[in-house]
mmCIF file of all heavy atoms in Angstrom:
data_model
loop_
_atom_site.group_PDB
_atom_site.id
_atom_site.type_symbol
_atom_site.label_atom_id
_atom_site.label_comp_id
_atom_site.label_asym_id
_atom_site.label_seq_id
_atom_site.Cartn_x
_atom_site.Cartn_y
_atom_site.Cartn_z
ATOM 1 N N LEU A 24 113.086 -55.342 132.630
ATOM 2 C CA LEU A 24 113.525 -54.598 131.443
ATOM 3 C C LEU A 24 114.911 -55.054 130.991
ATOM 4 O O LEU A 24 115.161 -55.209 129.795
ATOM 5 C CB LEU A 24 113.546 -53.093 131.726
ATOM 6 C CG LEU A 24 112.193 -52.405 131.815
ATOM 7 C CD1 LEU A 24 112.359 -50.963 132.299
ATOM 8 C CD2 LEU A 24 111.453 -52.438 130.475
ATOM 9 N N ARG A 25 115.782 -55.290 131.947
ATOM 10 C CA ARG A 25 117.130 -55.765 131.613
ATOM 11 C C ARG A 25 117.046 -57.106 130.886
ATOM 12 O O ARG A 25 117.726 -57.330 129.884
ATOM 13 C CB ARG A 25 117.955 -55.883 132.886
ATOM 14 C CG ARG A 25 119.406 -56.220 132.651
ATOM 15 C CD ARG A 25 120.112 -56.377 133.973
ATOM 16 N NE ARG A 25 121.558 -56.415 133.819
ATOM 17 C CZ ARG A 25 122.377 -56.761 134.800
ATOM 18 N NH1 ARG A 25 121.894 -57.078 136.003
ATOM 19 N NH2 ARG A 25 123.679 -56.776 134.600
ATOM 20 N N GLU A 26 116.208 -58.021 131.386
ATOM 21 C CA GLU A 26 116.016 -59.318 130.726
ATOM 22 C C GLU A 26 115.491 -59.129 129.302
ATOM 23 O O GLU A 26 115.970 -59.772 128.365
ATOM 24 C CB GLU A 26 115.013 -60.167 131.499
ATOM 25 C CG GLU A 26 115.492 -60.704 132.811
ATOM 26 C CD GLU A 26 114.383 -61.447 133.551
ATOM 27 O OE1 GLU A 26 113.474 -62.000 132.886
ATOM 28 O OE2 GLU A 26 114.434 -61.471 134.790
ATOM 29 N N VAL A 27 114.501 -58.256 129.154
ATOM 30 C CA VAL A 27 113.899 -58.001 127.843
ATOM 31 C C VAL A 27 114.957 -57.466 126.875
ATOM 32 O O VAL A 27 115.020 -57.882 125.710
ATOM 33 C CB VAL A 27 112.706 -57.027 127.972
ATOM 34 C CG1 VAL A 27 112.265 -56.490 126.619
ATOM 35 C CG2 VAL A 27 111.548 -57.716 128.678
ATOM 36 N N ILE A 28 115.791 -56.556 127.350
ATOM 37 C CA ILE A 28 116.843 -55.990 126.500
ATOM 38 C C ILE A 28 117.790 -57.085 126.038
ATOM 39 O O ILE A 28 118.123 -57.177 124.847
ATOM 40 C CB ILE A 28 117.610 -54.875 127.245
ATOM 41 C CG1 ILE A 28 116.698 -53.674 127.492
ATOM 42 C CG2 ILE A 28 118.857 -54.459 126.461
ATOM 43 C CD1 ILE A 28 117.230 -52.676 128.504
ATOM 44 N N HIS A 29 118.215 -57.952 126.953
ATOM 45 C CA HIS A 29 119.154 -59.018 126.589
ATOM 46 C C HIS A 29 118.519 -60.035 125.650
ATOM 47 O O HIS A 29 119.204 -60.590 124.784
ATOM 48 C CB HIS A 29 119.713 -59.695 127.843
ATOM 49 C CG HIS A 29 120.846 -58.932 128.447
ATOM 50 N ND1 HIS A 29 122.157 -59.124 128.084
ATOM 51 C CD2 HIS A 29 120.844 -57.937 129.366
ATOM 52 C CE1 HIS A 29 122.918 -58.294 128.768
ATOM 53 N NE2 HIS A 29 122.148 -57.561 129.556
ATOM 54 N N GLU A 30 117.233 -60.284 125.795
ATOM 55 C CA GLU A 30 116.548 -61.201 124.875
ATOM 56 C C GLU A 30 116.378 -60.570 123.500
ATOM 57 O O GLU A 30 116.536 -61.244 122.481
ATOM 58 C CB GLU A 30 115.183 -61.588 125.446
ATOM 59 C CG GLU A 30 115.280 -62.500 126.652
ATOM 60 C CD GLU A 30 113.951 -62.688 127.375
ATOM 61 O OE1 GLU A 30 112.902 -62.196 126.882
ATOM 62 O OE2 GLU A 30 113.954 -63.315 128.444
ATOM 63 N N ALA A 31 116.062 -59.283 123.464
ATOM 64 C CA ALA A 31 115.819 -58.599 122.192
ATOM 65 C C ALA A 31 117.115 -58.319 121.439
ATOM 66 O O ALA A 31 117.131 -58.306 120.210
ATOM 67 C CB ALA A 31 115.058 -57.295 122.429
ATOM 68 N N ILE A 32 118.190 -58.067 122.193
ATOM 69 C CA ILE A 32 119.487 -57.725 121.588
ATOM 70 C C ILE A 32 120.545 -58.622 122.232
ATOM 71 O O ILE A 32 121.239 -58.211 123.171
ATOM 72 C CB ILE A 32 119.835 -56.226 121.824
ATOM 73 C CG1 ILE A 32 118.650 -55.325 121.487
ATOM 74 C CG2 ILE A 32 121.067 -55.828 121.013
ATOM 75 C CD1 ILE A 32 118.814 -53.881 121.966
ATOM 76 N N PRO A 33 120.688 -59.856 121.752
ATOM 77 C CA PRO A 33 121.594 -60.810 122.403
ATOM 78 C C PRO A 33 123.033 -60.319 122.547
ATOM 79 O O PRO A 33 123.711 -60.660 123.507
ATOM 80 C CB PRO A 33 121.524 -62.041 121.493
ATOM 81 C CG PRO A 33 120.220 -61.922 120.779
ATOM 82 C CD PRO A 33 119.973 -60.446 120.628
ATOM 83 N N GLU A 34 123.499 -59.499 121.624
ATOM 84 C CA GLU A 34 124.886 -59.040 121.662
ATOM 85 C C GLU A 34 125.057 -57.709 122.398
ATOM 86 O O GLU A 34 126.090 -57.060 122.308
ATOM 87 C CB GLU A 34 125.441 -58.926 120.229
ATOM 88 C CG GLU A 34 124.750 -57.876 119.365
ATOM 89 C CD GLU A 34 123.479 -58.342 118.661
ATOM 90 O OE1 GLU A 34 122.796 -59.270 119.129
ATOM 91 O OE2 GLU A 34 123.149 -57.753 117.633
ATOM 92 N N VAL A 35 124.053 -57.318 123.176
ATOM 93 C CA VAL A 35 124.082 -56.031 123.864
ATOM 94 C C VAL A 35 125.205 -55.984 124.910
ATOM 95 O O VAL A 35 125.533 -56.990 125.540
ATOM 96 C CB VAL A 35 122.709 -55.723 124.516
ATOM 97 C CG1 VAL A 35 122.478 -56.571 125.755
ATOM 98 C CG2 VAL A 35 122.567 -54.255 124.843
ATOM 99 N N ALA A 36 125.800 -54.815 125.034
ATOM 100 C CA ALA A 36 126.779 -54.539 126.092
ATOM 101 C C ALA A 36 126.118 -53.553 127.053
ATOM 102 O O ALA A 36 125.277 -52.750 126.639
ATOM 103 C CB ALA A 36 128.041 -53.933 125.494
ATOM 104 N N GLU A 37 126.476 -53.626 128.315
ATOM 105 C CA GLU A 37 125.869 -52.718 129.278
ATOM 106 C C GLU A 37 126.944 -52.042 130.114
ATOM 107 O O GLU A 37 128.014 -52.602 130.345
ATOM 108 C CB GLU A 37 124.846 -53.433 130.160
ATOM 109 C CG GLU A 37 125.251 -54.777 130.673
ATOM 110 C CD GLU A 37 124.179 -55.440 131.528
ATOM 111 O OE1 GLU A 37 122.976 -55.418 131.184
ATOM 112 O OE2 GLU A 37 124.570 -55.999 132.560
ATOM 113 N N ARG A 38 126.606 -50.824 130.554
ATOM 114 C CA ARG A 38 127.507 -50.085 131.420
ATOM 115 C C ARG A 38 126.714 -49.000 132.143
ATOM 116 O O ARG A 38 125.624 -48.628 131.715
ATOM 117 C CB ARG A 38 128.648 -49.458 130.626
ATOM 118 C CG ARG A 38 128.218 -48.351 129.673
ATOM 119 C CD ARG A 38 129.403 -47.751 128.952
ATOM 120 N NE ARG A 38 128.976 -46.709 128.034
ATOM 121 C CZ ARG A 38 129.580 -46.440 126.899
ATOM 122 N NH1 ARG A 38 130.627 -47.143 126.524
ATOM 123 N NH2 ARG A 38 129.147 -45.474 126.128
ATOM 124 N N ILE A 39 127.290 -48.526 133.231
ATOM 125 C CA ILE A 39 126.715 -47.380 133.917
ATOM 126 C C ILE A 39 127.351 -46.128 133.316
ATOM 127 O O ILE A 39 128.574 -46.025 133.226
ATOM 128 C CB ILE A 39 126.987 -47.435 135.439
ATOM 129 C CG1 ILE A 39 126.305 -48.643 136.070
ATOM 130 C CG2 ILE A 39 126.543 -46.131 136.106
ATOM 131 C CD1 ILE A 39 124.789 -48.591 136.084
ATOM 132 N N GLN A 40 126.506 -45.245 132.860
ATOM 133 C CA GLN A 40 126.965 -43.972 132.306
ATOM 134 C C GLN A 40 125.971 -42.905 132.752
ATOM 135 O O GLN A 40 124.756 -43.158 132.756
ATOM 136 C CB GLN A 40 127.031 -44.041 130.782
ATOM 137 C CG GLN A 40 127.669 -42.835 130.153
ATOM 138 C CD GLN A 40 127.908 -43.039 128.660
ATOM 139 O OE1 GLN A 40 127.635 -44.093 128.090
ATOM 140 N NE2 GLN A 40 128.427 -42.020 128.029
ATOM 141 N N TYR A 41 126.476 -41.764 133.162
ATOM 142 C CA TYR A 41 125.625 -40.686 133.684
ATOM 143 C C TYR A 41 124.772 -41.187 134.858
ATOM 144 O O TYR A 41 123.640 -40.769 135.050
ATOM 145 C CB TYR A 41 124.733 -40.089 132.596
ATOM 146 C CG TYR A 41 125.488 -39.673 131.363
ATOM 147 C CD1 TYR A 41 125.258 -40.307 130.152
ATOM 148 C CD2 TYR A 41 126.448 -38.673 131.414
ATOM 149 C CE1 TYR A 41 125.957 -39.951 129.011
ATOM 150 C CE2 TYR A 41 127.165 -38.303 130.279
ATOM 151 C CZ TYR A 41 126.917 -38.946 129.083
ATOM 152 O OH TYR A 41 127.623 -38.592 127.960
ATOM 153 N N GLY A 42 125.295 -42.164 135.620
ATOM 154 C CA GLY A 42 124.637 -42.650 136.813
ATOM 155 C C GLY A 42 123.502 -43.634 136.608
ATOM 156 O O GLY A 42 122.780 -43.954 137.544
ATOM 157 N N LYS A 43 123.326 -44.128 135.378
ATOM 158 C CA LYS A 43 122.241 -45.077 135.123
ATOM 159 C C LYS A 43 122.663 -46.091 134.064
ATOM 160 O O LYS A 43 123.579 -45.853 133.282
ATOM 161 C CB LYS A 43 120.962 -44.350 134.715
ATOM 162 C CG LYS A 43 121.113 -43.377 133.596
ATOM 163 C CD LYS A 43 119.918 -42.457 133.515
ATOM 164 C CE LYS A 43 120.276 -41.243 132.700
ATOM 165 N NZ LYS A 43 119.476 -40.106 132.963
ATOM 166 N N PRO A 44 121.973 -47.245 134.024
ATOM 167 C CA PRO A 44 122.337 -48.292 133.069
ATOM 168 C C PRO A 44 122.039 -47.897 131.620
ATOM 169 O O PRO A 44 120.923 -47.484 131.301
ATOM 170 C CB PRO A 44 121.462 -49.482 133.469
ATOM 171 C CG PRO A 44 121.003 -49.200 134.852
ATOM 172 C CD PRO A 44 120.945 -47.706 134.963
ATOM 173 N N HIS A 45 123.054 -48.038 130.794
ATOM 174 C CA HIS A 45 122.931 -47.836 129.349
ATOM 175 C C HIS A 45 123.255 -49.162 128.674
ATOM 176 O O HIS A 45 124.149 -49.888 129.108
ATOM 177 C CB HIS A 45 123.913 -46.757 128.863
ATOM 178 C CG HIS A 45 123.488 -45.371 129.182
ATOM 179 N ND1 HIS A 45 123.456 -44.872 130.462
ATOM 180 C CD2 HIS A 45 123.063 -44.368 128.371
ATOM 181 C CE1 HIS A 45 123.037 -43.620 130.435
ATOM 182 N NE2 HIS A 45 122.793 -43.287 129.182
#
Side-chain angles (χ1 to χ4, degrees):
L24 287 172
R25 186 183 192 191
E26 289 176 28
V27 167
I28 293 165
H29 278 271
E30 289 170 6
I32 312 168
E34 64 275 26
V35 74
E37 43 181 43
R38 67 178 179 212
I39 296 292
Q40 188 171 358
Y41 308 115
K43 52 195 162 203
H45 284 69

